[in-house]
Amino acid sequence: MTPHGQGANPPVTRSAPDAGPPVTDALPDAATPGPRAGLLDGLSVRPSQVWGAVRLVPLVRAEPVQDLRLHPRIYGGAGVVDLTGGRHYLSYIPHGFVAEWTTDGSPAAAYGTQLTGGQQGRPVETLRLHFHRRMARREARNRLRFLPLHLALEGYLALHFGGPAIAWEEWSRQALSQGLSPRVEAAYLGADVPGLADALRVFEIHPGQCGVLVYLADALAAAFVVPHPEDYRTLHPSLVQDLYGDLVHHYATLMPPVPDFRAGITGHGIRSLGELRAAARQQTAQWVDFHDTTMAAGLLGQDSTWEQVYRMNRFTLSRFLPPFRPKHDNHIGEAITDELGRTVYLKTFRLSENQVRRGHLLNRLAAHDWRLTDTAAELGMDEAQLGHRLQAAGFGHLLRQDILDRYRSRRRTDSR
């Protein structure tokens, strides 16, 4: 996944050839349906803060998680990740996260730091390529390094990466031998999203804040949650280095400023401080209900498929994929959950409609063993229409050229 800003070069994220599934430190029960608890259980929503088309909604914990801490490891450039099995992932990777935990429930301190000499925001003069072994790698008995957001993005890129499982005649030799390699997607760097850097700079961090939901033109762009308020204060600036989909970038660029939701308490019926406090609590409850059931419903109500990646004592690092429903919100992400399934760490990425369509097509093809006739019938179209849709989605190279030519000829005939 490569940041694709204004005037940027074409995306270069690739996964190298491999016919097998992604290789991680996955646990035996890798694919499981949604989490055992709500995605934001234990976190309270606070009033939003608005800057132009950017709305930031704080998330606060009543009790911080003491026995797991996160801190950044700065890379500041492009990186190549060895995924084993002959596959590689290439992307802009500004930083990694290091998780440190204790085994007895005692508080864990944020491990280490890095000094950048005040030059962290400057562009590098030459391109340094960092090499990483795996998306998540254990560095010590109680320490794990992982690449935030890229763990989730690699899961999306690896979706049905092996390609057709049966050598139907329509598929090209490349599709049968190399699968979907190379898989390429594009995203925008947060610094290129209009208004985001300023919104984060003037954002007022709440006491006990452990996360934030980022909205662009009131479309949920990303969720970010950490275990401890001190971790959040350290990692808050890293949001401008994250990757964001083209949909939310366009919203931030083209849409007008969003309204600020302000609580309004009329004086009618209020005769004491107790009644005023009750009215204030009611306004807060109404905002929380509106936010969770309307603004964040696409993420909180999503029926995700979860894959466990690494277990850290009572914590589990996982990533999840959406059901790829066209014309709906679809979020990929990664999370660390405790033994009760409550979210300790969370980072999400909203897919664009084109990315959703690609995931939807791959899922339907895989569900029908890559048989074009069966897939087309389920989608309510003929083979030529499905072939055209595959080509429009960037998968035309998977089909034999003579098959594509035949589909084009049939479409021209039908359109007369």
Side-chain angles (χ1 to χ4, degrees):
M1 184 69 67
T2 298
H4 189 186
Q6 297 164 341
N9 292 325
V12 293
T13 299
R14 301 171 187 271
S15 294
D18 188 328
V23 179
T24 65
D25 294 318
L27 301 175
D29 50 341
T32 58
R36 291 166 291 169
L39 200 57
L40 298 182
D41 278 6
L43 293 158
S44 301
V45 173
R46 291 293 184 263
S48 64
Q49 300 177 38
V50 171
W51 182 274
V54 181
R55 185 187 305 276
L56 303 177
V57 177
L59 299 172
V60 175
R61 291 189 196 275
E63 294 291 336
V65 178
Q66 300 285 1
D67 54 340
L68 177 74
R69 300 293 300 276
L70 295 179
H71 78 88
R73 177 168 297 171
I74 300 169
Y75 302 125
V80 177
V81 185
D82 180 8
L83 302 175
T84 72
R87 298 178 304 116
H88 298 82
Y89 173 94
L90 172 62
S91 180
Y92 174 76
I93 303 177
H95 54 262
F97 284 174
V98 177
E100 177 122 353
W101 66 93
T102 61
T103 58
D104 58 1
S106 60
Y111 171 82
T113 187
Q114 291 196 11
L115 300 178
T116 61
Q119 300 181 358
Q120 182 175 347
R122 296 186 183 178
V124 293
E125 296 180 359
T126 58
L127 179 63
R128 296 183 58 194
L129 196 61
H130 297 269
F131 292 87
H132 309 274
R133 289 183 59 190
R134 299 194 176 189
M135 288 289 176
R137 184 166 182 256
R138 191 164 187 159
E139 295 188 334
R141 188 171 64 91
N142 293 336
R143 190 182 310 142
L144 179 76
R145 187 273 301 150
F146 63 99
L147 302 179
L149 197 57
H150 297 279
L151 188 68
L153 292 169
E154 191 266 329
Y156 170 68
L157 289 171
L159 183 68
H160 306 300
F161 188 72
I166 300 176
W168 303 110
E169 62 176 359
E170 296 89 351
W171 301 111
S172 67
R173 182 175 301 177
Q174 177 183 348
L176 297 174
S177 62
Q178 300 182 23
L180 303 184
S181 180
R183 278 282 278 119
V184 181
E185 295 290 349
Y188 286 89
L189 188 64
D192 293 326
V193 177
L196 181 59
D198 290 335
L200 293 170
R201 178 175 52 83
V202 302
F203 183 84
E204 179 184 353
I205 297 179
H206 285 246
Q209 183 171 345
C210 292
V212 67
L213 297 173
V214 181
Y215 292 86
L216 278 304
D218 282 340
L220 180 58
F224 180 47
V225 174
V226 295
H228 198 280
E230 293 179 8
D231 298 342
Y232 184 81
R233 288 182 176 273
T234 300
L235 298 174
H236 174 81
S238 70
L239 288 164
V240 79
Q241 297 176 318
D242 281 343
L243 302 179
Y244 297 86
D246 57 5
L247 176 68
V248 295
H249 178 273
H250 297 333
Y251 281 173
T253 304
L254 302 175
M255 300 299 287
V258 295
D260 191 5
F261 297 144
R262 296 184 179 275
I265 300 176
T266 64
H268 179 72
I270 297 178
R271 300 179 180 85
S272 67
L273 288 176
E275 292 177 343
L276 180 61
R277 281 192 292 268
R281 284 194 294 268
Q282 183 182 17
Q283 289 289 323
T284 300
Q286 289 176 351
W287 156 245
V288 171
D289 181 69
F290 169 74
H291 174 269
D292 292 353
T293 59
T294 303
M295 298 190 66
L299 174 63
L300 301 182
Q302 177 175 281
D303 186 16
S304 303
T305 300
W306 289 70
E307 177 189 2
Q308 297 178 344
V309 176
Y310 203 94
R311 183 166 291 153
M312 305 170 286
N313 193 38
R314 73 184 188 96
F315 302 105
T316 302
L317 174 64
S318 307
R319 61 188 177 189
F320 59 87
L321 290 173
F324 297 106
R325 297 174 59 198
K327 299 182 180 179
H328 287 77
D329 291 4
N330 287 263
H331 302 263
I332 61 173
E334 63 207 25
I336 297 176
T337 53
D338 65 12
E339 72 279 12
L340 298 179
R342 294 171 298 197
T343 301
V344 176
Y345 159 80
L346 175 68
K347 190 175 279 287
T348 68
F349 176 92
R350 179 175 179 149
L351 297 174
S352 69
E353 189 60 30
N354 286 335
Q355 290 167 333
V356 173
R357 290 194 193 102
R358 286 193 280 274
H360 178 66
L361 281 173
L362 292 175
N363 271 350
R364 299 334 306 147
L365 283 167
H368 293 283
D369 292 326
W370 295 80
R371 181 73 169 176
L372 287 179
T373 53
D374 295 343
T375 306
E378 184 203 333
L379 297 176
M381 61 184 68
D382 59 31
E383 286 186 55
Q385 291 172 318
L386 178 57
H388 175 73
R389 183 171 292 188
L390 285 170
Q391 187 173 28
F395 297 136
H397 65 283
L398 299 179
L399 294 168
R400 284 171 32 197
Q401 188 59 49
D402 61 315
I403 298 294
L404 276 176
D405 293 340
R406 190 176 72 195
Y407 288 161
R408 292 193 192 101
S409 176
R410 188 185 303 175
R411 283 176 58 84
R412 285 194 296 267
T413 302
D414 293 342
S415 62
R416 291 175 184 172

